[in-house]
Amino acid sequence: MRLPKPSCRPTHLALVTSLLLSPLLAQAAEGMWTLDNPPTALMRQQVGFAPDAAWLGKAMRGSARLAGGCSGSFVSPQGLVLTNHHCVAECVEQLSSADKDFMKNGFLARTRDEEKACPAMEVNRLEAITDVTDQVKAATRGREGEAFTKAFNAIRAQLTASCVGADSKTQRCDLVDLYHGGQYKLYRYHRFQDVRLAFAPEQSIAFFGGDPDNFNFPRYDLDMGLLRVYENGQPAAVKDFFPVNTQGPAAGEAVFVTGHPGSTQRTLTVAQLEQLRAQRLPETLVDMSEYRGRLAQYRTQGEEQARMANAELFYVENGIKVLRGQLAALNEASLMAAKRADEARLRAFVARQPALKPSAGAWDAIAQALQNYRSYRTLNNQLEGGRAFNSQLFGIARTLVRGAAERSKPDADRLPEFAEAGLPAVEAQLFSPAPVYPAFEKFKLSYSLEKMREHLGADAPVVKQVLGKDSPEQLAARLVDGSQLADIAQRKALWEGGMAAVRQSQDPFIRLALAVDEQSRALRQRYEREVESVIQKNSERVAQARFAMTGPKVYPDATFTLRLSYGKVEGWKEGDTQVPPFTTLGGTYERATGAEPFALPASWLAARDKLDQTKPFNLVSTNDIIGGNSGSPMLNARGELVGLVFDGNIHSIGGAYWFETARNRTVAVNAAAIAEAMDKIYGAGTLLKEMQGR
């Protein structure tokens, strides 16, 4: 499943060096390319097809971004969106109850009247990309530290507000930092806020094989879900979509993935990578591993506890596997040696170029900023990062408190998340009817408060301020039991009443958010002044040097913006074993044991004799993807959907830091299996015909 991903571990320095000494220059089918800068010559040379402007335009408008962190695509002119089951799992859980467990039993809307509104989901479609690099750099030129941050926030607010205009309910604009400050682009999206669930299979087949099979291949997962976007109470009319080719792709066929990879770190400085290796990754891995144990214990308390904690445990387990792999990658001596050699080569190039003199000290400035951050990093993570308050209700309270303060300021002076152009999205989340589970809130909050006390010490002033004489369990119970923020009407009253209403509120979560806000803001301001602004400014200087050395035909690190990856359907060699590119539906039954996580749902057992068990189920390709690509369409040269991306193999995990062409593979559901299952197992023929354009 796709979150940030761990690492493959090449054993030969020569292999790693060849991949890293020419950073950003495409190697084989490497690259997460922006759609306004595709490597058409390389694509034609390497896979035999290069898309034209019309193909790329349709690909842009046919692709979808799920605001919660996934990708998807439009697969019919009536607003039908195909994505992964694990991308709609939150919606499925929120629509479930003790009597109707759609995660366990699946969901199918046989008519559009039966489609159920997802309480907290938004789908975005990219409409335009505009280069605003000159405007941003002119606004921030000559500024450092806090002055840089203020100028940057002001120009961001100005550009996004101008882009959105009067259409904030249906438009969203993001200022996107590419090449770590080398370029700035304005991405304008159409927002679909009425999103309804149309189909989701049982979780047991969507995540067949569970954590043992996660990031591995062969796989046998029907990791799919269907949503429909509505406007004005009717299915949205969509001009650009990808019809589903139910034959799927052939071995060796060129395939193209359009999706929204979340984050890569292929061009970070050595100091940044060392900070990840020494601090962030190990600390987070320890915390998540302990939290996984607590979650697993909580789930044993009953069926409802298991249902409430199911998605949380899934994401934690997935994240742990990711972090382990990323840490293994950064502990590979040959990888870091190659990164150091690459950086030394770029710095030597800068030293020979008088025009690049401002870039000469950039690497040392970034390293010093990271070193300075160590003294208050833990406190900042606990307070401003929110690790001390793992609670849906606290998140609501902080939004209300900060929203009241920020909306009274001029747009240019606000925290970026409360800029005028983005307020409709904030309000959509704030007033979401997503359920709040009090018992689960108490569990999560008490655990995070306990960890705050452990990390900061019982005598830390903020620990004493927050806990007082209470234990973490006592405080969590008092906060949750005394709060009315689960009531949407209460949230609206506080939002509309502004700071006066917030300050008068006696809701315990509001009082807590107010109590810690001053210190939390101060930590944030210090971080922005001493660390973030320094890294951003100096990363621009590094990017300028890299452009001067390599030229403009390069791809940027992932930023959860739409990218194009090209490749072929192809297996790989694992030791002496050749891994084929396809699994079959019949192989699913051979792999099933009847015990979780290899237990098939009753629907699959009943339909066994109906299925063509020779049909391909999952496949692998050489496309370059990372977390955030979950739900991405896999297209053929005709722009038809032939697969649905849902994972990568174990060697893809190192894609955060480099791309290994020999073994890094994307894992997808074959469109042939989607059609076979929808038709013969779920009786979803009406939806299938719609996806085929019939």
Side-chain angles (χ1 to χ4, degrees):
M1 304 296 152
R2 312 258 355 143
L3 287 177
K5 309 273 295 185
S7 104
C8 85
R9 302 180 62 182
T11 55
H12 303 294
L13 176 60
L15 170 62
V16 183
T17 303
S18 70
L19 293 171
L20 292 174
L21 286 184
S22 298
L24 299 179
L25 294 179
Q27 303 288 329
E30 176 181 348
M32 303 172 192
W33 298 86
T34 57
L35 271 70
D36 58 348
N37 183 33
T40 51
L42 282 171
M43 295 170 74
R44 187 176 291 108
Q45 172 189 337
Q46 293 169 358
V47 299
F49 173 78
D52 59 17
W55 195 102
L56 291 167
K58 179 181 177 181
M60 181 179 78
R61 293 182 296 273
S63 301
R65 184 175 78 168
L66 278 61
C70 278
S71 301
S73 62
F74 295 96
V75 290
S76 90
Q78 291 84 41
L80 199 62
V81 175
L82 177 64
T83 186
N84 290 149
H85 183 280
H86 70 266
C87 294
V88 303
E90 183 177 30
C91 170
V92 175
E93 288 199 327
Q94 291 168 347
L95 294 173
S96 297
S97 65
D99 297 329
K100 294 183 178 180
D101 189 344
F102 298 127
M103 287 290 284
K104 180 179 179 181
N105 301 315
F107 174 83
L108 171 63
R110 298 191 179 276
T111 67
R112 290 180 188 170
D113 289 341
E114 294 179 0
E115 294 174 351
K116 294 182 178 291
C118 291
M121 185 169 285
E122 179 176 315
V123 172
N124 299 153
R125 178 182 65 204
L126 182 60
E127 302 281 320
I129 304 172
T130 305
D131 193 328
V132 292
T133 305
D134 291 344
Q135 294 97 306
V136 174
K137 293 197 172 182
T140 59
R141 187 170 292 118
R143 300 175 189 261
E144 304 283 346
E146 188 172 358
F148 176 89
T149 299
K150 287 183 176 180
F152 184 81
N153 289 345
I155 190 63
R156 172 164 50 189
Q158 176 187 325
L159 290 168
T160 54
S162 176
C163 173
V164 168
D167 299 323
S168 60
K169 294 293 184 183
T170 60
Q171 300 292 319
R172 169 182 177 145
C173 293
D174 295 339
L175 180 63
V176 177
D177 169 356
L178 298 174
Y179 304 101
H180 301 286
Q183 286 182 353
Y184 292 95
K185 301 285 183 78
L186 202 59
Y187 278 56
R188 178 168 59 83
Y189 299 91
H190 186 90
R191 300 176 62 210
F192 297 97
Q193 298 179 72
D194 185 352
V195 182
R196 307 184 192 183
L197 182 67
F199 171 67
E202 308 90 338
Q203 187 189 29
S204 55
I205 188 60
F207 194 34
F208 182 77
D211 190 57
D213 274 2
N214 199 14
F215 298 117
N216 286 303
F217 195 81
R219 292 290 288 278
Y220 305 87
D221 289 14
L222 189 69
D223 194 349
M224 66 168 293
L226 284 169
L227 305 167
R228 193 184 302 278
V229 294
Y230 281 70
E231 291 187 306
N232 302 316
Q234 299 296 320
V238 175
K239 179 181 177 181
D240 295 296
F241 62 94
F242 307 129
V244 174
N245 181 327
T246 58
Q247 298 303 307
E253 183 175 350
V255 286
F256 308 86
V257 172
T258 59
H260 301 79
S263 176
T264 54
Q265 297 83 42
R266 296 180 184 180
T267 57
L268 292 187
T269 67
V270 170
Q272 289 171 300
L273 293 173
E274 288 178 338
Q275 193 255 5
L276 282 169
R277 180 178 66 178
Q279 297 174 36
R280 282 180 55 191
L281 293 181
E283 291 172 7
T284 307
L285 184 57
V286 168
D287 286 346
M288 289 183 72
S289 297
E290 184 173 349
Y291 186 41
R292 176 179 60 179
R294 295 288 188 92
L295 276 169
Q297 183 181 40
Y298 181 80
R299 292 180 76 252
T300 65
Q301 296 178 17
E303 290 187 7
E304 267 300 274
Q305 288 88 342
R307 185 179 69 83
M308 288 185 287
N310 186 56
E312 186 98 346
L313 181 61
F314 164 76
Y315 288 116
V316 168
E317 288 185 335
N318 194 61
I320 288 172
K321 189 168 276 191
V322 166
L323 292 171
R324 284 176 176 166
Q326 289 183 342
L327 189 57
L330 292 179
N331 280 323
E332 190 73 46
S334 56
L335 170 63
M336 292 302 293
K339 288 286 187 181
R340 290 189 184 94
D342 170 52
E343 186 168 300
R345 187 167 67 104
L346 183 56
R347 295 179 76 163
F349 173 81
V350 168
R352 297 192 300 270
Q353 307 293 323
L356 295 175
K357 185 176 180 180
S359 297
W363 291 268
D364 293 338
I366 290 171
Q368 187 59 55
L370 293 171
Q371 180 65 29
N372 294 343
Y373 184 40
R374 298 184 68 172
S375 63
Y376 62 98
R377 179 173 171 271
T378 300
L379 181 60
N380 190 46
N381 285 340
Q382 292 295 318
L383 290 188
E384 182 59 21
R387 292 189 185 179
F389 311 112
N390 182 15
S391 160
Q392 187 177 345
L393 291 172
F394 179 83
I396 291 168
R398 172 166 277 185
T399 298
L400 290 167
V401 167
R402 290 203 169 166
E406 296 303 309
R407 286 181 299 145
S408 66
K409 301 175 183 178
D411 198 20
D413 295 337
R414 297 180 189 179
L415 295 175
E417 60 266 33
F418 292 101
E420 196 67 32
L423 284 182
V426 174
E427 292 173 344
Q429 287 294 315
L430 184 60
F431 305 139
S432 163
V436 176
Y437 302 117
F440 195 42
E441 283 283 287
K442 292 176 186 177
F443 161 76
K444 293 187 296 179
L445 183 57
S446 63
Y447 176 79
S448 60
L449 290 168
E450 177 187 324
K451 299 307 292 184
M452 175 191 70
R453 184 175 62 185
E454 175 185 319
H455 285 299
L456 299 179
D459 294 324
V462 70
V463 175
K464 291 182 176 181
Q465 177 193 16
V466 171
L467 290 178
K469 298 293 185 180
D470 287 331
S471 68
E473 293 80 7
Q474 289 170 330
L475 178 59
R478 182 162 58 80
L479 289 167
V480 174
D481 289 341
S483 179
Q484 295 183 339
L485 294 183
D487 183 352
I488 297 175
Q490 290 290 328
R491 299 179 215 166
K492 287 184 176 178
L494 289 166
W495 183 257
E496 293 167 2
M499 186 53 76
V502 166
R503 292 201 179 279
Q504 291 171 9
S505 173
Q506 295 304 306
D507 189 281
F509 274 107
I510 294 289
R511 305 315 303 172
L512 175 61
L514 283 168
V516 300
D517 197 52
E518 182 179 356
Q519 184 177 4
S520 187
R521 280 177 178 268
L523 287 164
R524 174 173 176 159
Q525 290 168 357
R526 183 180 178 186
Y527 173 78
E528 289 175 346
R529 180 178 65 251
E530 299 178 359
V531 183
E532 187 176 64
S533 64
V534 174
I535 290 176
Q536 187 167 359
K537 187 72 174 180
N538 285 282
S539 293
E540 287 184 9
R541 292 165 176 156
V542 173
Q544 180 184 5
R546 199 176 293 279
F547 279 148
M549 187 174 73
T550 66
K553 278 293 182 181
V554 294
Y555 69 91
D557 266 329
T559 54
F560 195 46
T561 51
L562 187 61
R563 302 296 179 90
L564 172 67
S565 167
Y566 64 96
K568 292 183 179 181
V569 176
E570 185 179 294
W572 77 97
K573 196 167 185 179
E574 192 69 42
D576 295 329
T577 302
Q578 184 65 40
V579 180
F582 299 110
T583 60
T584 64
L585 287 170
T588 315
Y589 294 96
E590 296 174 6
R591 195 166 183 79
T593 66
E596 294 295 342
F598 297 99
L600 287 170
S603 62
W604 278 66
L605 296 174
R608 181 171 186 172
D609 293 338
K610 301 178 186 177
L611 299 177
D612 179 352
Q613 297 193 28
T614 65
K615 280 192 177 291
F617 194 172
N618 292 167
L619 66 93
V620 289
S621 70
T622 62
N623 296 88
D624 187 2
I625 64 168
I626 200 70
N629 272 115
S630 286
S632 294
M634 179 176 283
L635 309 174
N636 62 18
R638 295 185 297 276
E640 299 168 331
L641 189 145
V642 294
L644 174 63
V645 173
F646 72 94
D647 204 357
N649 70 351
I650 199 68
H651 304 295
S652 74
I653 295 174
Y657 308 117
W658 84 93
F659 184 77
E660 185 206 346
T661 60
R663 298 182 298 173
N664 186 332
R665 293 294 182 268
T666 289
V667 182
V669 188
N670 198 304
I674 291 174
E676 187 80 356
M678 290 182 69
D679 181 31
K680 297 181 180 178
I681 298 177
Y682 296 105
T686 301
L687 285 172
L688 179 59
K689 288 179 181 178
E690 183 181 343
M691 295 162 65
Q692 293 174 281
R694 294 162 54 190

